[in-house]
Amino acid sequence: MNRENRFPLFRELPMIFVMISKKMLGLFLVVGLAVTPVSWASEAASAAPQAGPERMTFLDCYQKVLTHYPALKKRYEQLEQARAGRNLAVADLFPHVQGVFSTTTTDDPVGVFSDLLRQHAFTEQNFELNSLNSPRHRTNYHFGIEGDMLLFDSFNTISKIRSALRLVKSADLQADFTEMEAAVVTLESYLGILLAKELYRVASEVKNASDKDLQQAKDLNDKGMILGADYYAAKVTAAGIERQLNHAKATLKSSRMLMNILMGEDPEFVWEAAGKLPEFTQDAGALRTWIAEAYQKRQDLAALDQMLDAQRIEKLRQKTSFLPKFYGFGSLDDDSHDFHSGGRNFTVGFKGTMDFFDATYPGRVKEAGAKYKELAAERDALRDEIAKQLVGELARYETVTLDAPVMKSAYADATQATEQTAKLYQEGRKSIADLLEMRRGYFETAAGYQDLLLALELEYAKLLFLSGQLTEDGIHQVNTRLKG
C-alpha cells in the first residue's frame, strides 16, 4: 500500500489548505472593508482644517458697539426721560379723579349738625336747644369721588407741552449724534487693527528674509569668507527687526482687545478683522462748504437749537403765568353713621384764580431768562468749536493727501532698493550689514505708508463726522471700502 492510500488525509491536505486560504482571504477582505471606511473617516477628520477665528467686518463691529456703547445707552435713557416729561405735560389736560375716605367723631355743635344733615338723619328733636347747644358726639364715615379739570389757563399748559416736545426732539438728535460718535470710535479702533495686522505681516516677511540672510552670512563668517564686523553689525540690525516684529504682534493683540472692550466682549476674545486699509483719496473740498454743512446737519447743534427754543417758550410761559386760570370740579359723597344708612350728595362747579401778588414771580421770570441766555451762549460756543475743529481736521487731511503719493513712491523705491541690494549682496558687492539695514529701512517705509493709508480713511471720516454727514449710507460705504 502506497503512502497516499495509507494516509488519504495527506492526499487531501493541499485542497484543504487552498479552501482555508480562500475563506481566510474572504474574511480578511470583509473585515478590511468594514474597518477601512472608519479609518478613512478618522484620517479625513484629522486632516480636515480646524475652524479658524471668527471673521468680522467693520459693520459687524459697529453693530456690536452700538449695542454696548455706554454713552449711547445714557442718551437713550435721556430720551425716555424727555418722553416721560412730555407725557406729564399732556396729562395736565385730562381730569384728575381720586377716591377719598375719612372718619370723624366730634361733639362740636356745628360738626354734629352738618354730619346729621349729610347723613340725612336730622329730626325734629335735633332742633331742641339742648340738642343744638350740647349735642352728643357723632361719628361720620365719609366716602367719595372727587375730580377737577383744567378748563383754561391762558395757554400755560399748551406752552409746557410745546416746550416738552422740543426737549424730546433735542434728546432724539443727541442720540443720533452719539451714534455717529460711536461710528468714529469704532472706525478708529478697527483701522488700528488693520494697520497692526498689515505691519505684523510685513515684519514677519522681513524677519524671515533677514533670518535666511543672517544664516548664510554665519556660514560664510565661519569659513572666514566675510568680515566678522559686518556679520555682527548685521546681527544688531536683525535684533532691531525682531523687536519691530514683537512690537507689531503686541500692537495687534492690544488693538483687538480695545475693540473687544468697545463691543462689550471678553478682552481675550480672538477674531479676525476682514479687509485691508484702502488706497483711496477723496476730494478735500472747501472749508466754507464743510462749515456750512456742519451748521445745517450737526445733530448736537440742532439739539441745542431745540433746547433753546424750548427755553424761549418756557421764558414766555413764566412771564404770562399771572394770567387767569379756570378749573371745573365735582364730587360725589356718601356719609354714614353706621355703614347701613346715610345720605348721598354731589357737588359741581368751576372756579377761576389769578395772581395779584406772587413773590416768586420776578425770580421765576429772571431765572428763565438767564437760562435762555446761557443756552444761546452755549450754542454760539458750539458753532465756533465746530468751525475750529473743521479747520484743524481739514488741514490734517490735506497734509496726508499730499504725503500719500510721496510715501507710495518711497515704498515702491524701498521695495526696489531691497531687491537690488539683495542681488548685490549675492554678488559680493554689498555686505550683510548693508542688506539688513536696507530691509529695516523697507519695513519702516512700509509702516509709514500704511500709517498714511489709515490717516486718509480716518481723517476723512472725521470730517464727515464733524460736519454731521457720517450717515448710515456713509458707514456702509466705509465698510465696502475696507473689504477691499
Side-chain angles (χ1 to χ4, degrees):
M1 182 177 294
N2 60 23
R3 187 175 180 180
E4 291 181 357
N5 292 331
R6 290 174 57 192
F7 301 100
L9 183 60
F10 289 143
R11 187 172 62 250
E12 301 295 332
L13 281 176
M15 186 62 67
I16 293 173
F17 284 138
V18 170
M19 293 175 63
I20 293 175
S21 299
K22 289 182 178 179
K23 291 182 179 180
M24 291 298 294
L25 179 61
L27 180 61
F28 287 147
L29 286 174
V30 172
V31 174
L33 290 174
V35 174
T36 299
V38 177
S39 62
W40 285 352
S42 61
E43 290 178 2
S46 61
Q50 299 294 325
E54 179 183 355
R55 286 179 62 85
M56 295 176 62
T57 64
F58 162 69
L59 195 58
D60 296 332
C61 294
Y62 175 60
Q63 295 297 335
K64 286 195 171 187
V65 170
L66 282 184
T67 303
H68 174 72
Y69 202 48
L72 187 57
K73 290 181 179 179
K74 178 181 177 180
R75 291 299 185 189
Y76 287 154
E77 294 304 322
Q78 289 174 345
L79 177 58
E80 290 302 315
Q81 293 176 27
R83 287 171 176 167
R86 174 201 59 194
N87 295 340
L88 288 174
V90 173
D92 288 342
L93 297 175
F94 293 88
H96 178 222
V97 181
Q98 61 182 359
V100 294
F101 166 76
S102 65
T103 177
T104 57
T105 300
T106 181
D107 63 354
D108 178 74
V110 177
V112 173
F113 192 86
S114 62
D115 286 344
L116 289 171
L117 289 176
R118 291 192 184 96
Q119 296 167 6
H120 294 186
F122 205 90
T123 64
E124 293 182 356
Q125 297 177 354
N126 298 120
F127 280 108
E128 296 180 0
L129 291 178
N130 289 335
S131 296
L132 288 174
N133 292 326
S134 301
R136 294 189 58 189
H137 66 272
R138 186 84 178 178
T139 298
N140 182 59
Y141 300 100
H142 175 75
F143 305 88
I145 297 177
E146 298 178 352
D148 60 76
M149 181 177 180
L150 174 68
L151 300 178
F152 178 74
D153 63 352
S154 303
F155 304 105
N156 186 280
T157 300
I158 298 299
S159 296
K160 284 198 297 184
I161 294 173
R162 291 174 60 204
S163 179
L165 288 173
R166 283 156 177 78
L167 292 178
V168 170
K169 182 63 176 176
S170 174
D172 195 15
L173 289 168
Q174 288 285 10
D176 291 341
F177 182 75
T178 306
E179 289 181 2
M180 280 193 185
E181 178 186 274
V184 172
V185 172
T186 306
L187 179 61
E188 185 170 7
S189 182
Y190 193 85
L191 291 176
I193 294 174
L194 293 182
L195 174 63
K197 185 174 71 170
E198 182 64 18
L199 293 184
Y200 180 70
R201 183 191 67 80
V202 176
S204 298
E205 291 180 356
V206 174
K207 174 69 166 54
N208 293 335
S210 299
D211 288 345
K212 293 179 181 179
D213 297 334
L214 202 59
Q215 182 60 44
Q216 184 183 22
K218 181 179 183 302
D219 296 338
L220 295 175
N221 181 64
D222 293 342
K223 297 176 182 179
M225 299 179 66
I226 64 172
L227 295 176
D230 287 340
Y231 171 68
Y232 288 108
K235 288 189 67 176
V236 173
T237 305
I241 293 174
E242 186 172 359
R243 288 185 60 200
Q244 289 172 333
L245 177 63
N246 294 336
H247 178 74
K249 183 178 181 180
T251 302
L252 178 59
K253 182 179 179 180
S254 62
S255 299
R256 188 186 294 116
M257 286 182 171
L258 291 175
M259 178 63 84
N260 287 339
I261 294 173
L262 284 175
M263 296 188 299
E265 296 280 359
D266 182 358
E268 298 289 343
F269 172 56
V270 178
W271 52 278
E272 182 72 18
K276 62 180 182 179
L277 295 173
E279 299 182 21
F280 197 80
T281 303
Q282 302 178 79
D283 182 26
L287 177 61
R288 291 183 181 275
T289 303
W290 287 109
I291 293 177
E293 290 287 341
Y295 288 166
Q296 183 180 1
K297 297 180 179 179
R298 273 284 290 258
Q299 288 90 339
D300 57 338
L301 184 60
L304 198 51
D305 286 337
Q306 291 292 329
M307 293 178 63
L308 188 63
D309 196 30
Q311 190 58 36
R312 177 188 61 81
I313 296 172
E314 176 64 17
K315 182 175 69 170
L316 179 62
R317 188 179 76 85
Q318 293 297 338
K319 283 185 177 180
T320 59
S321 61
F322 68 92
L323 294 176
K325 302 174 182 62
F326 297 94
Y327 301 88
F329 63 90
S331 65
L332 181 63
D333 306 295
D334 190 354
D335 295 277
S336 174
H337 176 65
D338 52 11
F339 292 107
H340 299 295
S341 61
R344 293 182 178 178
N345 311 285
F346 72 90
T347 303
V348 294
F350 76 96
K351 65 178 180 179
T353 63
M354 182 175 179
D355 294 333
F356 289 123
F357 175 75
D358 180 3
T360 66
Y361 177 79
R364 288 188 285 108
V365 172
K366 187 175 181 180
E367 181 184 25
K371 286 184 178 179
Y372 178 80
K373 292 179 179 179
E374 178 187 5
L375 286 173
E378 186 176 344
R379 179 181 181 275
D380 293 339
L382 180 57
R383 286 171 63 91
D384 291 345
E385 183 63 24
I386 290 172
K388 289 191 294 184
Q389 289 177 346
L390 282 172
V391 168
E393 201 60 50
L394 185 59
R396 284 188 288 272
Y397 183 71
E398 289 175 343
T399 301
V400 296
T401 303
L402 295 174
D403 288 345
V406 177
M407 285 303 299
K408 184 176 183 180
S409 177
Y411 174 61
D413 293 341
T415 304
Q416 290 294 324
T418 303
E419 293 176 357
Q420 293 182 18
T421 303
K423 292 179 182 179
L424 293 174
Y425 168 68
Q426 295 298 329
E427 296 172 0
R429 299 165 62 186
K430 286 288 186 180
S431 68
I432 184 63
D434 295 333
L435 177 57
L436 263 64
E437 188 63 36
M438 192 64 245
R439 292 196 185 281
R440 183 170 65 177
Y442 164 77
F443 172 77
E444 292 174 352
T445 306
Y449 180 55
Q450 293 298 321
D451 279 334
L452 277 177
L453 292 182
L454 182 148
L456 279 174
E457 189 65 34
L458 182 60
E459 300 302 335
Y460 191 81
K462 287 183 177 180
L463 281 173
L464 293 177
F465 167 68
L466 292 175
S467 61
Q469 300 180 77
L470 191 59
T471 59
E472 186 175 351
D473 290 340
I475 292 171
H476 280 83
Q477 290 173 11
V478 170
N479 187 65
T480 302
R481 287 198 299 272
L482 293 181
K483 285 182 179 180

